[in-house]
Amino acid sequence: MKKTLFFLFLACPLLFAQTKKQVIDDIQKRQPEYSSMAMDIWNFAEVGYQEYKSSELLQNTLKKEGFTVTAGVADIPTAFVATFGSGKPVIGILGEFDALPGLSQSANPEKQSLNGIAGHACGHHLFGVGSTAAVVAVKDWMKKTGQKGTIKFYGTPAEEGGSGKVYMVREGLFKDVDVVLHWHPSSDNSANASSSLANKSGKFRFYGRSAHAAASPENGRSALDGIEAMTHMINMMREHVQEDSRIHYVITQGGKAPNVVPDFAELYVYARHPNRTNVKEMWEWMENIAKGAAQGTGTRVEVEVLGGVHELLPNETLAKVMHNNMSMVGGYVMTPEELAFANKILPTPGMFKSSLDATTKVQELKLENSANGGSTDVGDVSWAVPTVGCRTATWVPGTPAHSWQAVAAGGTSIGVKGMMIAAKTLALSAIDLFENQELIQKATVEFKEKTGGDFKYEALLGNRKPALNYRN
């Protein structure tokens, strides 16, 4: 009896490795199907809260796979939750699918617009589909093995400035979840325990009085003057905020004709910092600046907060799990055709110097907890439940996010190959957590230590309803 148990013990790692290989193979067999879905969403290129076709495609796919889908959650028409199984543990996987306005681009290594209103310059057409592939694989594994528990897919709209997940967290949709997994397109493969920048954004709308700019300017009060006064003071403010702060803005409306004093003007502003407390302070300062600008120009100002996200809370326990699985999956080698594409796009303006063999490697695990240059509403999820993510090479190495080069590569087999690495990594990581629930317990202990006993979640965007028209 003892010998039998001993040999079973020795065989378990091998059997588990074989199980994982089978899951990887199952996902790979469906690459043509998942590639087609991703390209459909790439062509839809729908901006935040307007991703009706993209959301419907993912929902219908999951319904056919036996998931129960609840649509329109958190008062967001394109948000949904798809569930398979019951009971504990509950593992959630996030999926995004919104595009960025003004970045329409063909799948070519030269800058060439498709004359659309938006483009997938952050690879969310791959994100949602890759996560779908992962939850489907986990579901199939659960059915084969009789594994108890629940796998959930969260269809999360409007990550790009719309803070879709914040409303879902605020609605309590993650309260019963033990761990959340996610991924993001990139130009290399990594699963580091890193943070992000907290962010608050909104529009400052100035109202003045129109008049003939030449015949009777004294009768006018320029809303554009209010904007210019505000931006001038913001730029003086930059000297006195912490150096790792970021403030950026665009004037979305500034008048229609030079000979008419504009009675309306609008400023869209972002404030970022690695700590949400500093973001709050900067935003309060800017609101006071707006009041002063309005008073000084004889105008009136209204403020609408459109978005607000926490910084990511890293979880080292989960990062190690995801890194191990990504290392098992490995990277990919470009075909001659993909290399030709890459070599043409590398010299284009805006690209960073990088080696093309970055797609073949998985970076060493870094547990630095430092913030990268972006912001994400995954941050709010990470303060509600232990959360971990990875990045995979869906772009030519050296490609910056939010660029036409990212759109172009994301519409090719390069993007699909990176997506498949993510799908496999997510699926294997979820299986590890189902199989070894001590990992969940350890991650939860780390989560509680980092959040502290007195932490109470508050959304940076307050109690407002989802800003469904923020892209209009």
Side-chain angles (χ1 to χ4, degrees):
M1 180 65 176
K2 288 182 179 179
K3 286 184 178 180
T4 302
L5 289 173
F6 176 73
F7 285 118
L8 282 172
F9 175 77
L10 290 178
C12 278
L14 179 60
L15 290 172
F16 195 41
Q18 289 174 340
T19 298
K20 284 190 168 184
K21 184 180 183 305
Q22 184 61 56
V23 171
I24 290 172
D25 290 344
D26 289 345
I27 294 173
Q28 188 61 39
K29 287 175 185 175
R30 298 184 67 171
Q31 176 172 320
E33 174 188 351
Y34 294 132
S35 174
S36 177
M37 288 175 61
M39 292 307 104
D40 282 345
I41 296 176
W42 186 85
N43 282 299
F44 294 155
E46 298 167 300
V47 296
Y49 295 133
Q50 298 174 34
E51 320 97 328
Y52 295 101
K53 294 178 183 177
S54 305
S55 179
E56 183 180 22
L57 176 59
L58 296 175
Q59 288 183 50
N60 288 341
T61 300
L62 291 164
K63 286 176 184 176
K64 289 176 184 176
E65 291 291 339
F67 284 75
T68 300
V69 175
T70 304
V73 297
D75 294 324
I76 302 172
T78 53
F80 67 95
V81 181
T83 305
F84 179 84
S86 61
K88 291 283 190 176
V90 180
I91 309 298
I93 297 182
L94 306 179
E96 299 171 9
F97 35 82
D98 62 320
L100 279 157
L103 282 160
S104 178
Q105 165 66 32
S106 67
N108 291 306
E110 302 89 20
K111 192 172 184 181
Q112 182 184 64
S113 175
L114 289 175
N115 299 315
I117 64 169
H120 274 285
C122 219
H124 296 177
H125 64 298
L126 302 165
F127 191 161
V129 176
S131 295
T132 296
V135 297
V136 169
V138 173
K139 177 266 299 183
D140 290 341
W141 169 79
M142 292 174 74
K143 290 178 72 173
K144 287 178 183 177
T145 62
Q147 175 67 46
K148 302 298 182 184
T150 306
I151 184 73
K152 286 191 172 188
F153 178 96
Y154 286 85
T156 58
E159 187 274 340
E160 298 289 357
S163 305
K165 297 181 195 66
V166 178
Y167 301 105
M168 298 173 79
V169 172
R170 201 178 67 181
E171 195 74 11
L173 295 177
F174 294 91
K175 281 185 176 178
D176 65 336
V177 183
D178 294 298
V179 170
V180 164
L181 311 177
H182 68 100
W183 75 285
H184 200 280
S186 185
S187 61
D188 54 39
N189 306 306
S190 63
N192 298 325
S194 59
S195 187
S196 62
L197 299 178
N199 176 16
K200 191 165 184 177
S201 64
K203 292 184 176 179
F204 293 79
R205 300 184 177 103
F206 283 78
Y207 299 86
R209 188 167 67 236
S210 61
H212 195 294
S216 56
E218 70 278 6
N219 291 327
R221 294 295 180 267
S222 173
L224 182 58
D225 284 352
I227 294 283
E228 291 187 300
M230 181 176 177
T231 57
H232 180 63
M233 285 187 277
I234 285 177
N235 290 321
M236 290 190 291
M237 169 188 168
R238 293 181 194 275
E239 182 183 359
H240 307 290
V241 297
Q242 294 188 23
E243 63 180 353
D244 46 359
S245 304
R246 296 288 184 271
I247 303 170
H248 17 270
Y249 57 78
V250 291
I251 299 174
T252 54
Q253 295 190 56
K256 302 297 183 184
N259 62 340
V260 178
V261 175
D263 61 358
F264 178 75
E266 183 181 79
L267 186 71
Y268 194 178
V269 184
Y270 274 41
R272 309 191 204 230
H273 188 271
N275 185 285
R276 63 191 175 280
T277 300
N278 290 318
V279 169
K280 288 180 183 178
E281 292 172 355
M282 285 194 292
W283 191 262
E284 289 172 4
W285 191 346
M286 286 194 291
E287 287 197 354
N288 286 329
I289 284 174
K291 293 173 186 175
Q295 187 173 6
T297 56
T299 58
R300 176 174 61 86
V301 66
E302 294 178 355
V303 183
E304 182 183 10
V305 173
L306 293 176
V309 300
H310 285 44
E311 66 275 20
L312 271 169
L313 182 66
N315 193 292
E316 295 183 7
T317 301
L318 296 176
K320 291 174 183 176
V321 172
M322 187 161 278
H323 174 78
N324 289 340
N325 283 301
M326 178 173 278
S327 298
M328 179 180 178
V329 172
Y332 66 88
V333 176
M334 289 193 196
T335 65
E337 293 78 13
E338 291 163 350
L339 282 171
F341 178 97
N343 282 312
K344 284 184 180 178
I345 210 168
L346 268 177
T348 59
M351 295 287 286
F352 300 110
K353 289 184 178 179
S354 185
S355 173
L356 291 182
D357 68 354
T359 65
T360 68
K361 304 172 183 177
V362 174
Q363 292 187 8
E364 291 184 9
L365 178 63
K366 295 179 182 178
L367 304 176
E368 54 193 11
N369 294 344
S370 60
N372 62 39
S375 305
T376 174
D377 52 11
V378 179
D380 290 65
V381 178
S382 73
W383 285 87
V385 57
T387 301
V388 67
C390 67
R391 293 176 176 269
T392 65
T394 62
W395 308 324
V396 174
T399 299
H402 295 197
S403 65
W404 70 264
Q405 293 97 330
V407 185
T412 71
S413 56
I414 293 172
V416 172
K417 284 183 173 179
M419 176 185 76
M420 297 304 288
I421 292 173
K424 295 166 187 175
T425 300
L426 292 174
L428 299 189
S429 298
I431 288 170
D432 275 348
L433 295 168
F434 277 116
E435 288 273 1
N436 185 0
Q437 294 179 38
E438 289 182 4
L439 291 171
I440 296 176
Q441 295 169 5
K442 187 177 179 182
T444 302
V445 169
E446 180 183 340
F447 171 78
K448 290 180 177 178
E449 287 175 350
K450 288 183 174 179
T451 56
D454 59 348
F455 173 75
K456 184 180 178 181
Y457 172 78
E458 290 183 14
L460 283 180
L461 47 71
N463 295 320
R464 69 151 300 146
K465 292 183 179 181
L468 301 181
N469 63 347
Y470 84 108
R471 286 299 189 201
N472 296 340

